[in-house]
Amino acid sequence: MIALDPLRCLLTDHTQSGCEACLQACAQEAFTLRRNNRLALDPERCNGCGGCIGGCPSEALSLEGFDENHFTLLFIQSQQTTLSCRHNTPCLAAFSPEHLVVMALRKERPFSCDLASCEGCSSDPEGHLLKLIHSRIEVANDLLKQLDHPHLIATEASRQASDRRSFFTKLLHRAAQSRVTPEQPLKSVSHHKTPTPKRQLLLANTLKPYQKSHPEATSPLFGHIELNQEACTGCQECARFCPTGALLMQNPQGHLQLTPESCVRCTICSLVCQEKAITAKRSATLESWQQPRTLAAFEWRNCAQCGTFFAAKADQTHCRPCGEFVVEFGDMFTQERNRKAREPR
Protein backbone atom coordinates (compact mmCIF):
# COMPACT_ATOMS: atom_id res chain seq x y z
CA MET A 1 0.00 0.00 0.00
CA ILE A 2 0.95 3.64 -0.37
CA ALA A 3 2.37 5.41 2.68
CA LEU A 4 2.42 9.18 3.19
CA ASP A 5 5.17 10.84 5.23
CA PRO A 6 3.63 14.16 6.34
CA LEU A 7 7.01 15.56 7.40
CA ARG A 8 8.28 15.34 3.81
CA CYS A 9 5.07 16.61 2.19
CA LEU A 10 5.42 20.15 0.80
CA LEU A 11 1.96 21.04 2.09
CA THR A 12 3.16 20.37 5.64
CA ASP A 13 5.83 23.08 5.40
CA HIS A 14 3.67 25.54 3.51
CA THR A 15 -0.02 24.96 2.85
CA GLN A 16 0.00 27.50 0.00
CA SER A 17 2.74 25.74 -1.96
CA GLY A 18 0.12 24.62 -4.47
CA CYS A 19 1.58 21.12 -4.90
CA GLU A 20 -1.19 18.80 -6.07
CA ALA A 21 0.81 16.19 -7.98
CA CYS A 22 -0.64 13.23 -6.10
CA LEU A 23 -4.21 14.53 -6.30
CA GLN A 24 -3.94 14.94 -10.05
CA ALA A 25 -2.48 11.47 -10.54
CA CYS A 26 -4.85 9.43 -8.37
CA ALA A 27 -8.00 8.25 -10.18
CA GLN A 28 -9.30 6.63 -6.98
CA GLU A 29 -9.52 10.01 -5.18
CA ALA A 30 -7.55 8.51 -2.31
CA PHE A 31 -5.88 11.87 -1.59
CA THR A 32 -7.85 14.77 -0.15
CA LEU A 33 -7.07 18.21 1.23
CA ARG A 34 -8.52 18.55 4.70
CA ARG A 35 -8.71 21.46 7.13
CA ASN A 36 -5.87 23.98 6.78
CA ASN A 37 -5.08 22.55 3.33
CA ARG A 38 -3.34 19.47 4.80
CA LEU A 39 -2.97 16.39 2.64
CA ALA A 40 -4.58 13.16 3.78
CA LEU A 41 -4.53 9.63 2.31
CA ASP A 42 -7.55 7.35 2.56
CA PRO A 43 -6.20 3.75 2.64
CA GLU A 44 -9.66 2.38 1.89
CA ARG A 45 -9.69 4.11 -1.50
CA CYS A 46 -6.04 3.50 -2.42
CA ASN A 47 -5.48 0.45 -4.64
CA GLY A 48 -1.68 0.59 -4.32
CA CYS A 49 -1.00 1.10 -8.03
CA GLY A 50 1.97 3.40 -7.29
CA GLY A 51 1.05 5.94 -9.97
CA CYS A 52 1.31 8.85 -7.54
CA ILE A 53 4.92 8.22 -6.47
CA GLY A 54 6.78 9.57 -9.48
CA GLY A 55 5.13 12.98 -9.29
CA CYS A 56 5.86 13.72 -5.63
CA PRO A 57 8.82 16.18 -5.71
CA SER A 58 9.86 15.58 -2.10
CA GLU A 59 9.44 11.77 -2.07
CA ALA A 60 6.80 11.94 0.64
CA LEU A 61 5.03 8.95 -0.90
CA SER A 62 6.27 5.37 -0.91
CA LEU A 63 4.94 1.99 -1.98
CA GLU A 64 5.35 -0.89 0.44
CA GLY A 65 7.83 -3.42 -0.89
CA PHE A 66 9.05 -1.17 -3.70
CA ASP A 67 11.79 1.46 -3.71
CA GLU A 68 11.89 3.30 -7.04
CA ASN A 69 15.44 4.55 -6.43
CA HIS A 70 16.65 1.09 -5.52
CA PHE A 71 14.85 -0.39 -8.53
CA THR A 72 16.46 2.19 -10.83
CA LEU A 73 19.95 1.04 -9.87
CA LEU A 74 18.99 -2.63 -10.12
CA PHE A 75 17.44 -2.08 -13.56
CA ILE A 76 20.63 -0.38 -14.77
CA GLN A 77 22.66 -3.42 -13.75
CA SER A 78 20.20 -5.97 -15.17
CA GLN A 79 19.85 -7.32 -18.71
CA GLN A 80 16.21 -6.20 -18.91
CA THR A 81 15.40 -3.73 -21.66
CA THR A 82 11.74 -3.00 -20.94
CA LEU A 83 9.90 -1.29 -18.11
CA SER A 84 6.50 -2.92 -17.87
CA CYS A 85 3.75 -2.93 -15.26
CA ARG A 86 2.98 -6.45 -16.43
CA HIS A 87 6.41 -7.83 -15.65
CA ASN A 88 8.76 -5.88 -13.41
CA THR A 89 7.27 -2.63 -12.07
CA PRO A 90 4.12 -1.10 -10.62
CA CYS A 91 2.51 1.66 -12.71
CA LEU A 92 5.19 3.34 -14.83
CA ALA A 93 4.06 6.67 -13.38
CA ALA A 94 5.98 5.60 -10.28
CA PHE A 95 9.11 6.79 -12.09
CA SER A 96 9.95 10.47 -12.39
CA PRO A 97 11.77 12.04 -15.37
CA GLU A 98 14.87 12.01 -13.17
CA HIS A 99 14.68 8.21 -12.87
CA LEU A 100 14.20 7.80 -16.60
CA VAL A 101 17.20 9.99 -17.41
CA VAL A 102 19.40 8.11 -14.94
CA MET A 103 18.36 4.75 -16.42
CA ALA A 104 19.00 5.92 -19.98
CA LEU A 105 22.42 7.44 -19.27
CA ARG A 106 23.77 4.68 -17.03
CA LYS A 107 22.36 1.60 -18.73
CA GLU A 108 24.61 0.15 -21.44
CA ARG A 109 21.69 -0.95 -23.61
CA PRO A 110 18.70 1.16 -24.72
CA PHE A 111 15.39 0.42 -23.03
CA SER A 112 11.72 1.05 -23.72
CA CYS A 113 8.52 1.61 -21.73
CA ASP A 114 5.68 -0.86 -22.33
CA LEU A 115 2.44 1.13 -22.38
CA ALA A 116 0.25 -1.64 -23.77
CA SER A 117 -1.73 -2.02 -20.55
CA CYS A 118 -2.21 1.70 -19.94
CA GLU A 119 -5.29 2.21 -22.08
CA GLY A 120 -8.30 0.86 -20.23
CA CYS A 121 -6.32 0.36 -17.01
CA SER A 122 -8.65 0.24 -14.00
CA SER A 123 -6.24 2.45 -12.07
CA ASP A 124 -6.39 5.11 -14.79
CA PRO A 125 -9.84 5.13 -16.42
CA GLU A 126 -9.54 8.72 -17.64
CA GLY A 127 -5.96 8.43 -18.86
CA HIS A 128 -4.37 10.91 -16.44
CA LEU A 129 -1.47 8.60 -15.59
CA LEU A 130 -0.84 7.75 -19.25
CA LYS A 131 -0.51 11.47 -20.03
CA LEU A 132 1.91 11.87 -17.14
CA ILE A 133 4.02 8.95 -18.35
CA HIS A 134 4.19 10.36 -21.89
CA SER A 135 5.09 13.84 -20.60
CA ARG A 136 7.87 12.47 -18.37
CA ILE A 137 9.34 10.42 -21.21
CA GLU A 138 9.24 13.57 -23.36
CA VAL A 139 11.07 15.62 -20.71
CA ALA A 140 13.67 12.88 -20.29
CA ASN A 141 14.19 12.49 -24.04
CA ASP A 142 14.53 16.24 -24.51
CA LEU A 143 17.45 16.28 -22.07
CA LEU A 144 18.97 13.15 -23.63
CA LYS A 145 18.92 14.85 -27.04
CA GLN A 146 20.74 17.89 -25.66
CA LEU A 147 23.36 15.59 -24.14
CA ASP A 148 23.83 13.90 -27.53
CA HIS A 149 22.92 10.54 -26.05
CA PRO A 150 22.70 7.88 -28.80
CA HIS A 151 19.57 6.18 -27.45
CA LEU A 152 16.25 7.78 -26.56
CA ILE A 153 13.58 6.14 -24.44
CA ALA A 154 11.15 4.35 -26.73
CA THR A 155 7.57 3.25 -26.03
CA GLU A 156 5.85 -0.02 -26.85
CA ALA A 157 2.13 -0.65 -27.20
CA SER A 158 1.90 -4.32 -28.17
CA ARG A 159 -0.73 -6.17 -26.18
CA GLN A 160 -0.18 -9.58 -24.62
CA ALA A 161 -2.50 -11.58 -22.44
CA SER A 162 -1.47 -11.18 -18.82
CA ASP A 163 -2.77 -10.98 -15.30
CA ARG A 164 -1.46 -7.62 -14.08
CA ARG A 165 -2.45 -8.26 -10.48
CA SER A 166 -0.52 -11.54 -10.36
CA PHE A 167 2.57 -9.87 -11.85
CA PHE A 168 2.29 -7.06 -9.35
CA THR A 169 2.01 -9.53 -6.46
CA LYS A 170 5.13 -11.30 -7.70
CA LEU A 171 6.88 -7.95 -8.00
CA LEU A 172 6.20 -7.02 -4.39
CA HIS A 173 7.46 -10.38 -3.20
CA ARG A 174 10.59 -10.08 -5.35
CA ALA A 175 11.19 -6.46 -4.33
CA ALA A 176 10.79 -7.32 -0.65
CA GLN A 177 13.46 -9.99 -1.04
CA SER A 178 15.74 -7.78 -3.14
CA ARG A 179 16.47 -5.33 -0.37
CA VAL A 180 20.06 -4.25 -0.06
CA THR A 181 22.29 -7.33 -0.16
CA PRO A 182 26.06 -7.73 0.24
CA GLU A 183 26.31 -8.25 -3.54
CA GLN A 184 24.55 -4.95 -4.27
CA PRO A 185 25.24 -2.46 -1.47
CA LEU A 186 23.07 0.61 -2.04
CA LYS A 187 23.43 2.23 1.36
CA SER A 188 24.58 5.49 -0.19
CA VAL A 189 21.07 5.86 -1.64
CA SER A 190 18.81 3.93 0.72
CA HIS A 191 20.17 5.45 3.93
CA HIS A 192 21.13 8.95 2.88
CA LYS A 193 20.32 11.41 5.67
CA THR A 194 19.97 14.57 3.62
CA PRO A 195 16.46 15.89 2.97
CA THR A 196 17.41 16.16 -0.69
CA PRO A 197 15.28 13.61 -2.59
CA LYS A 198 17.31 10.57 -3.61
CA ARG A 199 16.22 10.92 -7.22
CA GLN A 200 17.91 14.33 -7.22
CA LEU A 201 21.13 12.82 -5.90
CA LEU A 202 21.02 10.08 -8.55
CA LEU A 203 20.46 12.64 -11.31
CA ALA A 204 23.16 15.01 -10.07
CA ASN A 205 25.77 12.24 -9.83
CA THR A 206 24.80 10.89 -13.25
CA LEU A 207 25.10 14.28 -14.95
CA LYS A 208 28.45 15.34 -13.48
CA PRO A 209 30.43 14.00 -16.48
CA TYR A 210 28.30 16.17 -18.80
CA GLN A 211 28.86 19.44 -16.95
CA LYS A 212 31.90 20.44 -19.02
CA SER A 213 30.84 18.95 -22.34
CA HIS A 214 27.20 20.16 -22.31
CA PRO A 215 27.03 23.11 -19.87
CA GLU A 216 24.18 24.81 -21.75
CA ALA A 217 21.83 21.81 -21.64
CA THR A 218 18.56 23.17 -20.24
CA SER A 219 15.77 21.24 -18.57
CA PRO A 220 12.77 21.76 -16.26
CA LEU A 221 14.45 19.17 -14.04
CA PHE A 222 17.00 21.82 -13.05
CA GLY A 223 15.74 24.19 -10.37
CA HIS A 224 17.28 27.63 -9.99
CA ILE A 225 16.83 30.66 -7.74
CA GLU A 226 17.60 34.32 -8.37
CA LEU A 227 17.95 36.79 -5.50
CA ASN A 228 17.60 40.55 -5.46
CA GLN A 229 20.38 41.32 -2.97
CA GLU A 230 19.23 44.89 -2.36
CA ALA A 231 15.74 43.73 -1.38
CA CYS A 232 16.94 40.79 0.75
CA THR A 233 16.95 41.58 4.48
CA GLY A 234 18.61 38.39 5.70
CA CYS A 235 15.51 37.26 7.60
CA GLN A 236 16.31 33.60 6.68
CA GLU A 237 12.64 32.69 6.13
CA CYS A 238 13.52 31.09 2.79
CA ALA A 239 16.15 28.87 4.42
CA ARG A 240 13.83 27.91 7.28
CA PHE A 241 11.03 26.80 4.96
CA CYS A 242 13.13 25.17 2.21
CA PRO A 243 12.05 21.50 2.46
CA THR A 244 15.22 20.03 0.93
CA GLY A 245 17.95 22.26 2.35
CA ALA A 246 18.72 23.81 -1.03
CA LEU A 247 18.79 27.20 0.71
CA LEU A 248 20.88 27.45 3.85
CA MET A 249 22.24 30.29 5.97
CA GLN A 250 25.87 29.43 6.62
CA ASN A 251 27.07 30.46 10.06
CA PRO A 252 29.15 32.10 11.42
CA GLN A 253 29.87 33.74 8.05
CA GLY A 254 26.26 34.80 7.54
CA HIS A 255 26.18 33.67 3.91
CA LEU A 256 22.91 32.64 2.26
CA GLN A 257 24.03 29.56 0.32
CA LEU A 258 22.22 27.85 -2.58
CA THR A 259 22.74 24.24 -3.66
CA PRO A 260 20.70 24.17 -6.89
CA GLU A 261 20.80 20.41 -7.39
CA SER A 262 18.82 20.02 -4.14
CA CYS A 263 16.07 22.34 -5.40
CA VAL A 264 12.78 20.58 -6.28
CA ARG A 265 11.21 23.69 -7.85
CA CYS A 266 8.50 23.96 -5.19
CA THR A 267 8.71 27.82 -5.16
CA ILE A 268 8.06 27.90 -1.38
CA CYS A 269 11.04 30.24 -0.92
CA SER A 270 9.47 32.88 -3.14
CA LEU A 271 6.11 32.47 -1.37
CA VAL A 272 7.50 33.11 2.13
CA CYS A 273 9.79 36.00 1.15
CA GLN A 274 8.04 39.14 2.43
CA GLU A 275 10.31 41.40 0.42
CA LYS A 276 9.70 39.45 -2.83
CA ALA A 277 13.47 39.27 -3.19
CA ILE A 278 13.44 35.69 -4.48
CA THR A 279 12.46 34.52 -7.95
CA ALA A 280 12.18 30.74 -8.27
CA LYS A 281 13.00 29.50 -11.75
CA ARG A 282 11.56 26.21 -13.01
CA SER A 283 14.39 25.54 -15.46
CA ALA A 284 18.09 26.26 -15.74
CA THR A 285 21.24 25.19 -17.54
CA LEU A 286 23.21 22.17 -16.38
CA GLU A 287 26.20 24.35 -15.52
CA SER A 288 24.21 26.66 -13.23
CA TRP A 289 22.33 23.74 -11.68
CA GLN A 290 25.49 22.00 -10.53
CA GLN A 291 27.24 25.09 -9.15
CA PRO A 292 26.60 25.89 -5.45
CA ARG A 293 26.80 29.63 -4.90
CA THR A 294 26.49 32.34 -2.29
CA LEU A 295 23.37 34.41 -2.96
CA ALA A 296 23.98 37.07 -0.30
CA ALA A 297 26.57 37.85 2.36
CA PHE A 298 25.75 39.38 5.73
CA GLU A 299 27.62 40.31 8.90
CA TRP A 300 26.29 39.32 12.31
CA ARG A 301 25.80 42.41 14.48
CA ASN A 302 23.94 43.60 17.55
CA CYS A 303 21.07 45.96 16.84
CA ALA A 304 21.92 49.52 17.96
CA GLN A 305 18.39 49.89 19.36
CA CYS A 306 17.38 46.59 21.01
CA GLY A 307 20.66 44.66 21.07
CA THR A 308 19.29 41.68 19.09
CA PHE A 309 21.86 39.66 17.15
CA PHE A 310 20.92 39.86 13.45
CA ALA A 311 22.27 39.41 9.91
CA ALA A 312 23.23 42.89 8.74
CA LYS A 313 24.23 44.41 5.43
CA ALA A 314 27.31 46.61 5.18
CA ASP A 315 25.60 49.86 6.28
CA GLN A 316 22.85 48.37 8.47
CA THR A 317 22.86 49.18 12.20
CA HIS A 318 19.30 48.22 13.22
CA CYS A 319 17.44 44.93 13.01
CA ARG A 320 14.40 44.87 10.76
CA PRO A 321 11.71 45.74 13.37
CA CYS A 322 13.79 48.56 14.86
CA GLY A 323 14.77 49.80 11.42
CA GLU A 324 11.14 49.99 10.33
CA PHE A 325 10.26 51.80 13.58
CA VAL A 326 13.04 54.34 13.04
CA VAL A 327 11.90 54.97 9.47
CA GLU A 328 8.28 55.44 10.50
CA PHE A 329 8.74 57.42 13.70
CA GLY A 330 12.27 58.83 13.40
CA ASP A 331 11.02 62.35 12.66
CA MET A 332 9.01 62.35 15.88
CA PHE A 333 12.11 61.76 18.01
CA THR A 334 14.11 64.31 16.01
CA GLN A 335 11.45 66.95 16.60
CA GLU A 336 11.41 66.13 20.31
CA ARG A 337 15.20 66.49 20.56
CA ASN A 338 15.08 69.81 18.69
CA ARG A 339 12.34 71.08 20.97
CA LYS A 340 14.31 70.23 24.11
CA ALA A 341 17.40 71.85 22.62
CA ARG A 342 15.50 75.10 22.17
CA GLU A 343 14.16 75.18 25.74
CA PRO A 344 15.92 77.65 28.07
CA ARG A 345 17.97 76.07 30.80
Side-chain angles (χ1 to χ4, degrees):
M1 295 299 292
I2 299 295
L4 168 65
D5 183 353
L7 295 181
R8 295 188 70 91
C9 179
L10 297 182
L11 290 173
T12 300
D13 281 333
H14 200 281
T15 57
Q16 302 303 316
S17 68
C19 181
E20 295 185 351
C22 53
L23 285 90
Q24 295 173 358
C26 183
Q28 313 303 319
E29 297 183 351
F31 294 96
T32 56
L33 292 178
R34 295 183 177 176
R35 190 175 67 176
N36 296 329
N37 216 32
R38 302 293 184 185
L39 185 69
L41 171 62
D42 184 352
E44 298 297 324
R45 287 180 173 271
C46 177
N47 65 0
C49 72
C52 55
I53 297 177
C56 181
S58 57
E59 295 183 340
L61 298 172
S62 59
L63 177 61
E64 183 180 359
F66 181 78
D67 183 333
E68 65 274 21
N69 298 297
H70 186 182
F71 177 89
T72 295
L73 295 181
L74 292 180
F75 182 72
I76 292 168
Q77 299 169 9
S78 74
Q79 297 300 312
Q80 299 179 50
T81 57
T82 304
L83 290 178
S84 173
C85 65
R86 299 176 299 166
H87 299 291
N88 56 359
T89 77
C91 176
L92 294 189
F95 299 103
S96 66
E98 289 90 341
H99 291 123
L100 297 176
V101 171
V102 170
M103 292 180 199
L105 291 178
R106 290 196 183 187
K107 196 171 181 63
E108 293 183 358
R109 303 168 62 187
F111 75 94
S112 61
C113 295
D114 182 4
L115 306 181
S117 299
C118 293
E119 291 189 12
C121 175
S122 60
S123 297
D124 188 30
E126 298 183 2
H128 293 308
L129 291 176
L130 180 57
K131 291 180 181 178
L132 288 175
I133 296 170
H134 276 298
S135 66
R136 291 171 189 171
I137 293 175
E138 183 179 349
V139 169
N141 278 337
D142 178 67
L143 180 56
L144 293 175
K145 290 177 183 177
Q146 295 184 66
L147 298 177
D148 298 321
H149 191 63
H151 304 296
L152 300 183
I153 302 169
T155 57
E156 300 177 5
S158 59
R159 286 190 173 276
Q160 299 177 8
S162 64
D163 180 353
R164 182 178 185 276
R165 181 58 63 182
S166 66
F167 276 115
F168 188 56
T169 302
K170 293 178 183 177
L171 163 72
L172 292 181
H173 178 69
R174 189 183 306 116
Q177 292 185 331
S178 67
R179 295 292 184 182
V180 180
T181 62
E183 291 76 21
Q184 292 170 321
L186 306 177
K187 290 185 179 180
S188 61
V189 173
S190 301
H191 302 287
H192 209 286
K193 300 301 182 182
T194 175
T196 303
K198 296 168 188 174
R199 69 183 66 168
Q200 296 281 119
L201 297 174
L202 286 172
L203 182 64
N205 290 332
T206 302
L207 291 178
K208 285 190 183 301
Y210 296 90
Q211 183 178 351
K212 291 184 178 180
S213 60
H214 297 78
E216 296 304 316
T218 305
S219 173
L221 301 181
F222 305 153
H224 184 58
I225 291 171
E226 293 181 354
L227 180 73
N228 182 341
Q229 296 191 25
E230 293 186 3
C232 179
T233 61
C235 69
Q236 305 181 58
E237 287 295 287
C238 55
R240 292 191 186 101
F241 279 93
C242 180
T244 62
L247 281 169
L248 186 66
M249 181 67 87
Q250 297 282 359
N251 295 321
Q253 299 90 347
H255 291 177
L256 182 61
Q257 189 78 14
L258 170 66
T259 306
E261 60 188 37
S262 296
C263 176
V264 294
R265 309 169 301 280
C266 66
T267 71
I268 288 179
C269 55
S270 61
L271 290 172
V272 301
C273 182
Q274 297 183 27
E275 305 300 326
K276 305 302 179 185
I278 291 181
T279 303
K281 302 290 185 179
R282 292 187 178 272
S283 66
T285 63
L286 177 58
E287 182 179 35
S288 63
W289 184 64
Q290 292 202 322
Q291 291 292 335
R293 61 181 61 86
T294 297
L295 296 181
F298 299 90
E299 180 182 343
W300 292 105
R301 297 176 185 168
N302 291 100
C303 175
Q305 182 67 28
C306 66
T308 301
F309 206 49
F310 74 106
K313 293 182 179 180
D315 57 348
Q316 195 174 359
T317 58
H318 294 78
C319 67
R320 179 175 175 178
C322 292
E324 292 177 349
F325 185 84
V326 169
V327 170
E328 187 171 358
F329 301 104
D331 289 344
M332 179 179 67
F333 293 105
T334 300
Q335 293 173 7
E336 179 64 16
R337 285 196 298 270
N338 292 338
R339 184 187 64 80
K340 289 184 177 181
R342 291 194 297 270
E343 289 180 353
R345 297 182 179 180

